[in-house]
Amino acid sequence: MSTDENYWEVGTDIGGTFTDIIAIRHSPAEARIAKVPSRPQAPVQAMLEAIEAVGLRKSEVKRFVHGTTRVTNAIVEGRLPKVALVATQGFADVLEIARYRRRDLYRLDVPPKSPPLVPPERCFGLAERLDHEGAVLKALDEAEIERLVAWLKTTGVQSVAVALLHAYANPVHEKMLGERLKGVVAHVSLSHEVNPEAREYERTSATVFNAAAMPIAVEYLSELEQRLPIGPGLQVFHSAGAMVPISAVKRRPLVMAMSGPAAGVSASVSIARQLGTSRMLTFDMGGTTTDVCLIVDGQAEMTDGRMLGDKPLRQPMLAVHSIGAGGGSIVRNGSGGLTVGPESAGSEPGPACYGRGGTEPTITDANAVLGYLNPETKLGDRIGIDIKAATDVIAPIAGTLGLSLTDTALGIIKVANATMARALRRVTVERGIDGRDCTLLAFGGGGPMHAAGLADLYGIAEVVVPSASSAFSALGCLTADFSFLQQQTLRAALDGIDLARVSERIGVLIDDASAPLIANGVAATEIQIELVALMRYAAQNDAIPVPFARPLDVIRLKKDFLARHHELFGYATGESCVIESVRVQARRPSTTVVSRPAVAARVSAGNRICSFDGFHDIATSIIDRASLTEIVSGPAIIEDAWSTVVVPPGWQARPDVSGNLFLTRGAA
């Protein structure tokens, strides 16, 4: 037996309100789970406090994987450092031109576009030019590079984004600049590394985001390396559902965008495969946001990007849809009625019921008023529940509406559930999926409390609450497959396709995607390759993903494209179609097995007065989750040290041997 088996592997998820942690070791098998309040200004300190919260010393940690929304939050909140942009001469205004769309079609008082990521005075037009196939039309000479260097020294920026025209087809000029600018500015972001695809505006936007995130990422990751010196065992979770070493993240910090929610989806994929569930909806309700994603046949949906702060963030990532409706989301009573979020009470001060100075009503406060949270214990032995404080912040809204506290709190929950139901529709109906046929996987601090009510509203018949549900994203950091993803523009029409050229390009992408795994000790025979063609009709703008295998079968690929197009849009035609890009994922399936986490029993069998829709102030069974062995009919509250599962009247909960709970409609 290796002595390494006595060391611990740790996964953490840094959320807006809490930092979750799960730690495992293999011999003897053990798993521990905890939460600590997040520290937005000191994320590394929060991670170290989380390690202490599970009773470990830093010296006992062999592997540490974390997901974070730190980069995403900096983008959304506009807290990015100054960046300079270098583009091909004549295209330096690409960010200012952007896309020909208004931010709000019907409001003339709103500016048509938000300000560009880089103002014109920090944009530089470089005399060089490639064509769309990568052939050099105007070479980049030494005099032009010297002119750029002189200009950069006058800007005073830490980071520069280089996005040259058609660099995705041939990065020769970007590579030259990358070498020459190393000693001129601290951070250089190259578009062919960040997003080697067509669409100049989106590629440039992503490259600028990456450049702006570099100082933020390097600072806190370097601090983490210094304070937790475990070498290659220090890893970051990728927004596409993979683990990457810190050295790679410092070059491409944009991969951290949405990495926390992506980790929860990764753990959900494992559950979906274990249960054999063909269609699953993930429902991750944390303190600040709710994140949802669709899993079909054991694969999470992917997307080519998303909008952040009115700007496109283009890179392959899990198709997680986020809304500002978490447990800490602030409730307001405006002219249009009750609203929840997107503003959040965060971790400081947090919801009023946490007793840490919160003065505004939140969704968590409504749950406390309804009796769902236990006032006699502390969450993870740290945070108590103050029912009076929750009542005090809900009461003014109740008075304005002329309703009782109970009815007001129930109304808040209904509004929150309706908001989250709209998020579920975004990832189902818009993808041609009937969400009512899916299983809802509920996790995060608030997911299990709202799952049954959301399922009732949406028409879903079964809910699964996994073991370690409150730290499920942290669990995903440990159980994810080890993989690397490459995506590049190809532009090959199926009619008259040059199979030799296309096959050669795909082979290069496979080698590029496999290289990081092989460099980290993975044998080539252990690597599984997944291939996806991003396809469209020749006259279309956007492409849709179509899986394929080698050798490329053009007839089969076109047939699959037509079928998928019909599924999504209700029609398919005989027009010519094009492979716009190819996505390659090299994967070594995870072999990490996590035993059921040990959590201290926190309740004794008993009752508490709770209220549900149509059932006010009724005695409700309170059950310790760790001791649950048989089916329980609602109304019931199932608790452990960190999570609360609400089983309303008309629902029942069934445990399995792994600690998962299955909620289904039953006898009231």
Side-chain angles (χ1 to χ4, degrees):
M1 178 180 67
S2 170
T3 56
D4 284 349
E5 291 180 327
N6 295 316
Y7 286 85
W8 291 80
E9 297 182 36
V10 172
T12 62
D13 171 39
I14 307 172
T17 305
F18 288 107
T19 292
D20 303 336
I21 183 169
I22 185 165
I24 66 170
R25 68 176 174 186
H26 302 290
S27 180
E30 185 179 355
R32 300 178 186 176
I33 184 175
K35 284 177 180 278
V36 298
S38 291
R39 292 177 176 265
Q41 304 307 317
V44 174
Q45 182 60 32
M47 286 187 267
L48 297 180
E49 290 173 357
I51 291 175
E52 294 177 1
V54 289
L56 297 179
R57 298 184 300 273
K58 292 190 294 183
S59 59
E60 296 178 279
V61 178
K62 173 190 174 186
R63 178 170 168 251
F64 185 93
V65 188
H66 79 283
T68 177
T69 55
R70 185 169 176 80
V71 169
T72 307
N73 293 342
I75 292 172
V76 172
E77 295 167 13
R79 297 183 290 102
L80 294 172
K82 293 181 179 179
V83 175
L85 170 64
V86 178
T88 299
Q89 197 169 65
F91 293 84
D93 54 0
V94 61
L95 295 179
E96 192 170 8
I97 295 173
R99 291 291 177 190
Y100 190 66
R101 307 187 184 108
R102 293 187 62 90
R103 280 197 290 176
D104 193 306
L105 185 61
Y106 300 105
R107 289 188 58 187
L108 299 182
D109 60 318
V110 175
K113 300 174 185 177
S114 56
L117 290 168
V118 183
E121 62 269 21
R122 292 205 304 272
C123 297
F124 185 92
L126 193 71
E128 64 82 46
R129 190 67 181 264
L130 306 176
D131 69 12
H132 68 286
E133 293 184 345
V136 177
L137 300 179
K138 180 175 179 56
L140 177 60
D141 60 33
E142 185 64 25
E144 189 67 3
I145 295 176
E146 290 296 334
R147 187 171 73 91
L148 169 63
V149 169
W151 175 81
L152 275 176
K153 290 179 178 179
T154 68
T155 64
V157 297
Q158 290 181 280
S159 297
V160 58
V162 180
L164 302 181
L165 191 66
H166 303 307
Y168 59 87
N170 182 359
V172 58
H173 290 169
E174 286 197 351
K175 287 182 176 180
M176 288 172 60
L177 291 178
E179 287 297 320
R180 287 298 307 276
L181 297 180
K182 281 182 178 179
V184 180
V185 291
H187 309 287
V188 180
S189 176
L190 305 176
S191 75
H192 76 273
E193 294 179 347
V194 177
N195 179 228
E197 295 185 88
R199 298 171 185 265
E200 294 306 310
Y201 169 55
E202 286 78 6
R203 179 164 58 91
T204 304
S205 176
T207 307
V208 170
F209 273 141
N210 191 72
M214 277 178 154
I216 299 171
V218 169
E219 178 184 357
Y220 108 85
L221 291 175
S222 296
E223 181 187 353
L224 181 59
E225 287 179 307
Q226 181 181 7
R227 301 183 67 180
L228 189 61
I230 58 175
L234 209 53
Q235 300 168 345
V236 177
F237 203 81
H238 192 301
S239 56
M243 297 171 292
V244 290
I246 278 185
S247 58
V249 176
K250 287 181 177 180
R251 288 284 298 169
R252 294 177 58 188
L254 203 60
V255 303
M256 289 194 295
M258 302 304 294
S259 69
V265 173
S266 177
S268 302
V269 167
S270 297
I271 291 288
R273 292 172 180 172
Q274 291 171 18
L275 300 178
T277 305
S278 61
R279 292 181 177 180
M280 179 172 280
L281 280 169
T282 70
F283 171 45
D284 177 7
M285 184 179 179
T288 305
T289 62
T290 290
D291 307 303
V292 298
C293 187
L294 175 66
I295 298 172
V296 178
D297 296 329
Q299 295 290 337
E301 292 283 292
M302 296 283 293
T303 180
D304 290 327
R306 57 179 296 161
M307 301 296 290
L308 280 180
D310 293 329
K311 303 293 192 301
L313 173 58
R314 187 170 174 83
Q315 65 175 12
M317 59 177 66
L318 293 177
V320 179
H321 180 64
S322 301
I323 57 171
S329 293
I330 295 171
V331 180
R332 303 195 187 282
N333 182 29
S335 58
L338 289 176
T339 60
V340 295
E343 300 87 2
S344 172
S347 57
E348 295 291 344
C353 65
Y354 285 176
R356 306 177 69 179
T359 59
E360 296 189 272
T362 67
I363 296 174
T364 297
D365 293 315
N367 283 315
V369 167
L370 295 173
Y372 301 160
L373 299 177
N374 193 334
E376 298 178 0
T377 60
K378 291 187 176 182
L379 297 174
D381 297 325
R382 289 171 180 259
I383 299 176
I385 299 298
D386 186 340
I387 302 297
K388 183 180 183 305
T391 299
D392 289 344
V393 295
I394 298 290
I397 295 179
T400 301
L401 295 175
L403 299 174
S404 68
L405 276 172
T406 297
D407 284 332
T408 302
L410 286 170
I412 291 170
I413 299 303
K414 286 182 179 179
V415 171
N417 288 345
T419 302
M420 293 182 284
R422 288 196 294 272
L424 293 183
R425 293 187 184 98
R426 287 290 301 273
V427 299
T428 54
V429 175
E430 293 184 11
R431 289 171 170 80
I433 298 291
D434 188 342
R436 295 170 297 181
D437 296 335
C438 298
T439 296
L440 188 68
L441 185 74
F443 54 97
M449 279 194 289
H450 289 256
L454 179 60
D456 262 332
L457 180 63
Y458 199 75
I460 294 174
E462 182 180 58
V463 174
V464 178
V465 180
S467 177
S469 58
S470 63
F472 203 58
S473 291
L475 176 66
C477 289
L478 290 181
T479 59
D481 295 343
F482 190 17
S483 65
F484 197 81
L485 185 146
Q486 289 283 93
Q487 182 168 311
Q488 189 167 12
T489 292
L490 187 65
R491 284 197 184 127
L494 288 193
D495 295 336
I497 189 170
D498 185 344
L499 275 177
R501 169 183 166 272
V502 170
S503 297
E504 181 182 359
R505 292 280 298 276
I506 293 172
V508 171
L509 282 174
I510 291 174
D511 291 341
D512 290 345
S514 302
L517 276 68
I518 295 172
N520 280 271
V522 179
T525 54
E526 298 178 9
I527 297 175
Q528 299 178 1
I529 300 297
E530 296 176 4
L531 301 171
V532 174
L534 285 302
M535 299 186 64
R536 58 177 174 80
Y537 287 118
Q540 278 182 323
N541 188 46
D542 294 317
I544 60 175
V546 182
F548 70 97
R550 299 177 82 190
L552 179 60
D553 184 335
V554 176
I555 296 175
R556 174 64 183 271
L557 183 63
K558 184 171 184 178
K559 179 180 178 182
D560 290 346
F561 167 70
L562 296 177
R564 182 59 176 154
H565 197 281
H566 191 278
E567 181 182 7
L568 287 174
F569 305 113
Y571 76 95
T573 73
E575 300 171 64
S576 60
C577 47
V578 174
I579 302 175
E580 175 70 16
S581 303
V582 171
R583 179 187 301 155
V584 175
Q585 187 157 27
R587 179 195 307 275
R588 185 193 66 182
S590 172
T591 57
T592 299
V593 177
V594 179
S595 59
R596 183 173 180 174
V599 291
R602 55 175 293 200
V603 293
S604 302
N607 296 299
R608 189 162 68 236
I609 299 300
C610 299
S611 296
F612 305 87
D613 189 20
F615 299 85
H616 289 198
D617 300 326
I618 61 174
T620 302
S621 299
I622 309 301
I623 300 164
D624 173 29
R625 182 169 178 174
S627 63
L628 183 61
T629 58
E630 56 188 29
I631 294 176
V632 171
S633 295
I637 304 293
I638 302 172
E639 299 178 341
D640 64 28
W642 279 113
S643 67
T644 299
V645 183
V646 174
V647 186
W651 283 76
Q652 61 184 21
R654 172 180 59 84
D656 69 5
V657 294
S658 300
N660 303 311
L661 291 178
F662 297 81
L663 275 59
T664 54
R665 292 185 183 87

